[in-house]
Amino acid sequence: MKTYQVVGIGNAIVDVIAQCDDAFLARMGIEKGIMQLIERERAEELYAAMGERTQAAGGSVGNTIAGIGNLGLRTAYIGRVRDDVLGRFYDAALAGEGTDFPNKPVAAADLPTSRSMIFVTPDGERSMNTYLGISAEVSTEDVPLEVVESCEFLFLEGYLFDKDHGKAAFLKAAQAVRRTGGQAGISLSDPFCVDRHRDSFRRLLRDEMNYVIGNEREWESLYQTDLDSALAQAAAECDLVVCTRGGTDVVLIRGAERVEVPVHRVTPVDTTGAGDQFAAGFLYGCATGRPLEVAGRMGCIAAAEVISHFGARPETDIGALFRAQGL
């Protein structure tokens, strides 16, 4: 038995969440419904402008790994934080959730711990303003081979593909986990990220990945074609392809097997973390040997729970929800 069932690598970001209205977004010059990268000065300005706020250890794959850990699997998360107030909070938060964080806060660092100011409007849309800080500096030196070689599933965050040292870290980790019989996968993360690194993503998917998760816009961007054609090309290059389609259903393709799992539509309170928790439920299903359709349903249940309240982490026992659905 390997030490870990799922290990993630991604941006270690503290999520700071506040409610607001559309007028506030307009006044602060925030584009609604997307993730924007911002500089340090802008981060301080937005943080100061927030009203009542909540704070959580986040980052896309960080949220996924926490969700899997809360379901009882053995998990670890690889990322960088500074030895400052937010960095120590992040380290303690993961430990409190049962997830190992092998990269301890860095004392001699120029950049502070990353943070994302998330503004949630009454329609449930979240507008994310992320200052990457130290988290974007993940490199091969941050990837402990003893951790990735001892895991069954590795999950990578596409956002880290923006820098060459992030790409090198992914390659090192993917090759290590596959060398020892595990599976490597990635979240495409964002269509703009895919646009910037299309050729590199294609090579990584074709040569190193066992599974890839993305939404329809990301898949269309990756292959620069319509969704059906994009998924057909992806399935020819990767063992397992997962596509979330606009809140209507999820398409899962593995070889000749194609499964479409309908999404039970609910009125969202806050869509923060929907994709992250879908990945958590789905990977939990994969890591525990469930059929593809069951793993997809688990992902949809976890995503539906997290959009029913504020914040990117589940507030309900997701395992109990699985059991209630006969899963």
Side-chain angles (χ1 to χ4, degrees), residues 10-314:
N11 284 301
I13 299 173
V14 176
D15 288 337
V16 187
I17 305 171
Q19 300 179 48
C20 72
D21 55 22
D22 288 336
F24 175 88
L25 298 182
R27 186 166 66 253
M28 298 301 297
I30 298 171
E31 188 170 350
K32 183 176 180 178
I34 68 167
M35 193 283 287
Q36 302 175 84
L37 294 179
I38 58 176
E39 297 300 322
R40 188 171 182 171
E41 183 177 343
R42 174 68 166 164
E44 292 171 353
E45 175 192 13
L46 293 180
Y47 186 84
M50 288 178 133
E52 184 178 347
R53 51 190 175 239
T54 59
Q55 187 171 285
S60 178
V61 168
N63 289 331
T64 296
I65 296 301
I68 296 170
N70 286 335
L71 281 163
L73 299 194
R74 304 181 305 280
T75 56
Y77 185 59
I78 296 169
R80 281 177 71 85
V81 298
R82 184 179 178 178
D83 189 7
D84 54 20
V85 172
L86 289 181
R88 290 188 291 272
F89 165 80
Y90 198 98
D91 187 17
L94 284 192
E97 294 172 339
T99 291
D100 288 348
F101 190 50
N103 307 85
K104 294 305 177 184
V106 181
D110 295 329
L111 296 172
T113 297
S114 309
R115 72 288 311 267
S116 182
M117 275 63 66
I118 304 173
F119 297 93
V120 183
T121 44
D123 59 2
E125 279 289 343
R126 83 279 193 268
S127 305
M128 303 174 67
N129 301 265
T130 303
Y131 169 60
L132 289 178
I134 195 175
S135 72
E137 301 303 312
V138 170
S139 69
T140 54
E141 295 179 0
D142 299 304
V143 179
L145 284 178
E146 68 274 13
V147 173
V148 292
E149 287 179 343
S150 62
C151 81
E152 297 173 8
F153 285 83
L154 176 71
F155 191 42
L156 307 173
E157 182 177 313
Y159 286 126
L160 279 182
F161 230 53
D162 261 330
K163 295 191 176 183
D164 288 341
H165 45 252
K167 294 177 184 177
F170 279 6
L171 187 62
K172 174 185 176 180
Q175 291 177 344
V177 72
R178 286 160 59 91
R179 185 170 60 244
T180 54
Q183 296 192 47
I186 192 169
S187 164
L188 295 178
S189 293
D190 184 272
F192 301 109
C193 186
V194 172
D195 286 341
R196 290 191 295 271
H197 306 284
R198 182 173 293 108
D199 291 342
S200 296
F201 266 121
R202 288 283 302 273
R203 284 195 298 272
L204 187 73
L205 184 153
R206 182 184 63 245
D207 298 336
E208 304 293 347
M209 295 294 103
N210 299 101
Y211 65 94
V212 182
I213 301 175
N215 63 33
E216 52 192 323
R217 289 180 60 201
E218 292 157 2
W219 284 115
E220 289 171 345
S221 172
L222 184 62
Y223 290 96
Q224 295 182 290
T225 186
D226 64 273
L227 182 60
D228 286 341
S229 298
L231 294 181
Q233 290 184 59
E237 296 180 349
C238 185
D239 296 340
L240 174 56
V241 172
V242 181
C243 176
T244 55
R245 297 197 295 193
T248 59
D249 63 6
V250 177
V251 179
L252 307 108
I253 306 173
R254 181 169 56 195
E257 181 183 9
R258 179 184 173 112
V259 175
E260 296 184 12
V261 179
V263 172
H264 176 64
R265 297 187 67 87
V266 298
T267 301
V269 173
D270 172 14
T271 56
T272 305
D276 306 338
Q277 294 309 318
F278 168 82
F282 174 73
L283 287 175
Y284 172 84
C286 292
T288 54
R290 302 311 207 275
L292 201 55
E293 188 265 344
V294 171
R297 288 177 61 193
M298 287 176 162
C300 292
I301 289 170
E305 191 282 337
V306 83
I307 67 173
S308 68
H309 56 77
F310 289 101
R313 303 287 179 85

